[in-house]
Amino acid sequence: MVNEETVFFSRILTELTLSFHIIYATIGVGIPLMIMISQWVGIKKQDEHYILLARRWARGFVITVAVGVVTGTAIGLQLSLLWPNFMELAGNVIALPLFLETFAFFFEAIFLGIYLYTWERFENQKKHLMLLIPVALGASFSAVFITMVNAFMNSPQGFDIVNGQLTNINPIVAMFNLSMPTKVSHVLVTAYMTCAFVLASIGAFRLLNGSKHVYHKKALFLTLKLGLLFSIVTAILGDFSGKYLAEYQPEKLAAAEWHFETKEGAPLIFYGVLENGEVKYAITIPYALSILAHLKPNAEVIGLDQFPNDEVPPLYIHYLFDIMVTIGMMMILIAFIYVIGIWRKWRFVLSNGFNWLILFGGPLSILAIEAGWWLDEVGRQPWILRGIMKTKDAATTNTHVDTMLILFAGLYFILGIGSIVVLTRMFRKNTVEQELADHGLEKAGDSL
């Protein structure tokens, strides 16, 4: 018999773990690419500031990797403990990418170690740069493989169930399921985008904190250029994701857009509130949902009226969609204004006021990542395996999940505070100015 309290605490603990882990996982995927690009730019321009930038980012990255390993292990443990019925099925069908993710991480970790401990051993920096290629590939493929598992939960395939038994299992078909292309590409690009804006936020903080060194200005310009590029690609991929949802998960799209009735020429709804089932105070864009879903202004979009009430996702995911889109559009605008402003020599983009906008952009980008994952996971409810297994049927019958929740919350609190303290002390005791002086680079490359 289903224990509703156990299901509730299992969902809360899983949400807490994923919400905490996704921060470090996003950093783990995106930062290696940022390091590689910075070192490549430094070699190409013969500018030691960019090479030092890569070196300092790499030091901080190691700390986040260590925390990410702990939280990633916690997720694997909790999947088995909290959702045993799901893992019994998934273990037979979709275990392959879970193993491959582990190998990808080891591949990344081995070359990251070699990269970190061979800074002084390469006279030719290009050879040292080559070590970052497997690091970046390993990090990205870790995300690819684990996202395949999540995509499988949204569009399960690669098996049949006959008389309650699994048959015709094909792990490759399960991995390359229908939602895999849009989900994997979106996860990768948003990780790159978020890391670019987080690193830009750090550069803006140093400038606001009184440093006038060109090193931080170069860091800001590089990361915001990359952030602009990846945010534009993210918007394009978001459009593809909308079309996928319209075709294969229409209930999620309808819930996210508060689209209650199936009709042609459906509008796109931003913000607003629900009062007695009626949408009020919203910004409505006529025909936009039909265009998003089918590229036709008069196309029919399936509404929530086509689904049983017990299969309709929670309607608050509309606000998660709004948060994600609003922050994304805001960051595109900030990055675009800054990059154009540097080229056109607009002085206001160098002001403290604009640096405050960039500073807040980092945490807001993390919030957008969180909102996107909550939208994806909550928007699949009530299913843990869409159309096959409901979340309540997958949960453990153990009655001590509330105790586990308290223990894991304490662990994440310690890890979060600890990583912030370690990173802060690491860079406070080893400032950019000091490191440049130690290497005799005070006057290296004084312009963008």
Side-chain angles (χ1 to χ4, degrees), residues 53 57 195-224 338 350-352 354-356 358-360 362 432-433:
L53 193 62
W57 285 348
C195 286
F197 287 132
V198 167
L199 293 173
S201 180
I202 295 171
F205 174 78
R206 293 295 296 129
L207 292 172
L208 287 168
N209 212 30
S211 177
K212 302 298 181 184
H213 205 286
V214 71
Y215 167 93
H216 299 298
K217 296 176 182 178
K218 290 178 180 179
L220 209 56
F221 188 54
L222 175 64
T223 51
L224 284 177
Y338 183 87
L350 302 176
S351 67
N352 282 347
F354 204 85
N355 281 334
W356 275 109
I358 299 170
L359 173 62
F360 285 121
V432 170
E433 292 77 8

Side-chain angles (χ1 to χ4, degrees), residues 186-337:
H186 194 75
V187 165
L188 286 178
V189 176
T190 52
Y192 303 147
M193 175 195 71
T194 301
C195 286
F197 287 132
V198 167
L199 293 173
S201 180
I202 295 171
F205 174 78
R206 293 295 296 129
L207 292 172
L208 287 168
N209 212 30
S211 177
K212 302 298 181 184
H213 205 286
V214 71
Y215 167 93
H216 299 298
K217 296 176 182 178
K218 290 178 180 179
L220 209 56
F221 188 54
L222 175 64
T223 51
L224 284 177
K225 281 195 297 184
L226 293 171
L228 177 61
L229 171 64
F230 288 123
S231 59
I232 292 172
V233 177
T234 295
I236 295 171
L237 291 174
D239 180 70
F240 290 149
S241 296
K243 290 172 174 53
Y244 164 80
L245 291 178
E247 183 70 23
Y248 298 106
Q249 285 184 274
E251 74 281 5
K252 180 186 288 188
L253 180 65
E257 290 302 325
W258 284 353
H259 182 59
F260 297 105
E261 296 181 6
T262 301
K263 62 181 178 180
E264 299 177 352
L268 192 67
I269 296 175
F270 282 109
Y271 316 114
V273 294
L274 277 177
E275 292 185 0
N276 299 320
E278 183 179 350
V279 180
K280 293 185 176 181
Y281 316 116
I283 298 174
T284 302
I285 304 176
Y287 305 105
L289 184 57
S290 290
I291 294 173
L292 172 67
H294 303 293
L295 279 180
K296 297 177 182 178
N298 292 312
E300 182 180 82
V301 180
I302 297 174
L304 293 176
D305 58 343
Q306 300 298 309
F307 302 95
N309 290 335
D310 63 348
E311 293 184 10
V312 172
L315 296 181
Y316 71 80
I317 65 173
H318 172 76
Y319 296 115
L320 300 176
F321 176 82
D322 288 345
I323 291 171
M324 180 180 65
V325 172
T326 301
I327 294 175
M329 297 305 294
M330 185 183 74
M331 294 313 301
I332 289 177
L333 183 62
I334 290 173
F336 178 77
I337 291 173

Side-chain angles (χ1 to χ4, degrees), residues 94 147-157 172-181 244:
I94 199 68
T147 306
M148 283 179 169
V149 179
N150 182 267
F152 170 78
M153 296 167 72
N154 287 278
S155 51
Q157 63 182 49
I172 302 301
V173 173
M175 287 173 61
F176 293 93
N177 53 75
L178 292 173
S179 65
M180 187 277 294
Y244 164 80

Side-chain angles (χ1 to χ4, degrees), residues 131-193:
L131 290 171
L132 282 173
I133 296 176
V135 175
L137 286 175
S140 294
F141 272 99
S142 290
V144 169
F145 292 131
I146 204 66
T147 306
M148 283 179 169
V149 179
N150 182 267
F152 170 78
M153 296 167 72
N154 287 278
S155 51
Q157 63 182 49
F159 66 98
D160 293 316
I161 298 179
V162 180
N163 296 325
Q165 300 295 319
L166 287 174
T167 61
N168 302 324
I169 296 173
N170 190 325
I172 302 301
V173 173
M175 287 173 61
F176 293 93
N177 53 75
L178 292 173
S179 65
M180 187 277 294
T182 55
K183 189 167 290 294
V184 166
S185 57
H186 194 75
V187 165
L188 286 178
V189 176
T190 52
Y192 303 147
M193 175 195 71

Side-chain angles (χ1 to χ4, degrees), residues 13-35:
L13 177 53
T14 304
E15 181 177 24
L16 174 65
T17 302
L18 288 173
S19 298
F20 186 75
H21 176 70
I22 196 62
I23 298 173
Y24 293 90
T26 298
I27 291 171
V29 174
I31 293 295
L33 182 64
M34 301 297 117
I35 297 171

